[in-house]
Amino acid sequence: MLNRRHFLRDTALTASALAVPSILRAQDNRLVINSFGGAYEEIHRQLVITPFEEMTGTRVEVVTAYSADTLSQLRAQKEAPQFDVAHFSGGLETTAALEGLLSPIEPSELSNHDQMYEFAVAGISKGVGPTYSTAVIGLLYETNQINPAPTSWNDLLREGIGERVLVTDAASNTYGLLGLLMMNHALGGTMEDLTPGLEFVRKLLDNGAVVVSKSPEIQQNFAQGSAWMAAYAQDYAFTLTKAGLPVKFVQPQEGAAFAPITVNLVANRPNRELALKFIDLSIRAEASAGWAEALRYSPTNRTVTLSGEVAEQVVYGEAAARNLVGFDPVVISDKRAGWNEEWKRLLVQ
């Protein structure tokens, strides 16, 4: 159960490693960060923000801002940034790092660095902050209708389910694009050549698959019995399960795409050491496990131990983590307009 007492208890073991000297607290007792609002922000407070305030005596000022808005603010404030720590999802941290808006981090500056999966800290020396949790895009399926459970992306073409397959729009939905890229990857395509993935989607559409653009449409189709399988995110399978729908998530044998959620050190701020303490607390095992328990995001700290239904509902463990596939957000940004045109042409054929 997520509550303040639980997480403060769990973080007590790391307090000595993360404690901030009183001289540092005296320099600046305020840290400015963004979070994503709503229920997410409430959990963020329980897992990281409140424990950090209790342990350091620092007041954390939270600005509710999603990734695109945060990037815009960092650009506008480049000469005098107001954020100390910036959280991103969807790959915009790479853009921010390339523009010099984020500061590189040395592994030695994070006591929890060596507990992280390699993919989660691969870019810190270039300014891309650690991935503290991640959404994973694989297959959702209706357990009462799909037997045996799917094991491959090719199961979307399983005989007899064509018109009950959902394809998420790749032009308007980030998870839809990652699903397309993953299908393409599974079939031997590259980011330079999406032909295998587009041809695969063409076959799905010829079989009667339905294109949706937003996650509520996925829930509606599963609830009405018109959907039995879809390419979408692991955490959304949890949303469907909570709504009483018999839907599970599976990571196909060819791999699943991951969408990083990162915590980043903003460049040109005076309280670097304090911000690093916040980032370090964000990637500890207790926080990583907490995101899995609360929202079914996959843990990126490899020392996390999950049990029961949580372990069954997330991509979890060394072997599963090795089968996660990341796609270069810079290439995606450069090519997305062209891909969108190809996608639109596919849909009207």
Side-chain angles (χ1 to χ4, degrees):
M1 178 180 178
L2 285 172
N3 57 57
R4 182 171 177 267
R5 180 180 298 175
H6 173 76
F7 287 105
L8 291 179
R9 181 201 66 202
D10 285 347
T11 55
L13 294 176
T14 59
S16 60
L18 295 169
V20 179
S22 57
I23 186 172
L24 179 61
R25 292 198 297 269
Q27 292 174 1
D28 187 354
N29 67 347
R30 185 176 70 109
L31 198 74
V32 182
I33 72 167
N34 73 305
S35 190
F36 303 141
Y40 188 99
E41 191 169 308
E42 291 178 13
I43 296 165
H44 202 176
R45 288 184 181 278
Q46 293 172 13
L47 293 173
V48 182
I49 297 168
T50 298
F52 179 80
E53 289 179 324
E54 293 284 344
M55 291 164 54
T56 65
T58 302
R59 179 171 64 87
V60 177
E61 181 178 321
V62 181
V63 178
T64 299
Y66 291 99
S67 299
D69 291 335
T70 301
L71 179 58
S72 295
Q73 291 184 50
L74 288 178
R75 284 169 169 167
Q77 301 167 0
K78 185 173 184 178
E79 301 306 318
Q82 302 302 302
F83 287 114
D84 297 295
V85 173
H87 297 85
F88 286 107
S89 63
L92 289 182
E93 63 280 331
T94 301
T95 300
L98 288 172
E99 294 181 12
L101 303 173
L102 303 177
S103 180
I105 300 172
E106 294 298 323
S108 60
E109 294 181 291
L110 300 174
S111 67
N112 292 301
H113 174 274
D114 292 345
Q115 297 181 11
M116 303 295 286
Y117 289 117
E118 184 176 349
F119 77 86
V121 290
I124 64 170
S125 64
K126 299 178 181 179
V128 176
T131 296
Y132 63 93
S133 66
T134 184
V136 178
I137 293 80
L139 297 178
L140 282 61
Y141 70 100
E142 215 275 19
T143 58
N144 291 336
Q145 302 292 342
I146 302 296
N147 186 29
T151 59
S152 167
W153 287 96
N154 285 306
D155 281 318
L156 289 166
L157 288 172
R158 187 178 292 187
E159 186 176 355
I161 68 166
E163 63 186 14
R164 290 184 169 85
V165 169
L166 300 182
V167 176
T168 308
D169 182 46
S172 63
N173 188 298
T174 298
Y175 287 171
L177 176 59
L178 290 175
L180 170 62
L181 292 174
M182 194 60 234
M183 295 175 204
N184 187 64
H185 175 83
L187 293 166
T190 67
M191 295 185 77
E192 301 300 322
D193 180 16
L194 256 60
T195 302
L198 292 170
E199 287 299 317
F200 185 78
V201 173
R202 186 191 307 277
K203 292 179 182 178
L204 294 176
L205 297 177
D206 288 344
N207 282 354
V210 176
V211 178
V212 297
S213 59
K214 298 179 180 179
S215 53
E217 297 175 71
I218 297 176
Q219 180 168 348
Q220 181 181 10
N221 277 271
F222 273 104
Q224 293 174 345
S226 55
W228 291 355
M229 198 182 302
Y232 208 62
Q234 156 192 284
D235 53 293
Y236 198 67
F238 182 50
T239 298
L240 301 184
T241 300
K242 289 192 297 182
L245 299 175
V247 176
K248 286 187 177 181
F249 173 89
V250 66
Q251 179 187 32
Q253 61 192 14
E254 301 93 345
F258 73 89
I261 308 172
T262 60
V263 54
N264 304 270
L265 180 65
V266 176
N268 302 318
R269 286 288 288 171
N271 50 357
R272 174 188 177 93
E273 186 175 346
L274 191 60
L276 284 168
K277 296 292 184 182
F278 185 91
I279 292 170
D280 200 24
L281 190 68
S282 299
I283 64 174
R284 77 199 192 287
E286 293 85 359
S288 195
W291 289 114
E293 293 165 2
L295 296 176
R296 298 304 190 267
Y297 288 129
S298 281
T300 55
N301 185 308
R302 56 184 172 79
T303 69
V304 167
T305 299
L306 301 175
S307 60
E309 66 176 10
V310 178
E312 294 175 357
Q313 292 174 345
V314 300
V315 172
Y316 160 63
E318 296 277 356
R322 285 195 297 270
N323 214 22
L324 291 175
V325 180
F327 297 101
D328 190 333
V330 175
V331 176
I332 290 176
S333 179
D334 289 343
K335 293 184 174 293
R336 186 155 192 176
W339 290 344
N340 287 350
E341 290 304 313
E342 291 185 79
W343 178 260
K344 292 174 183 177
R345 287 195 297 269
L346 173 64
L347 296 187
V348 299
Q349 290 179 358

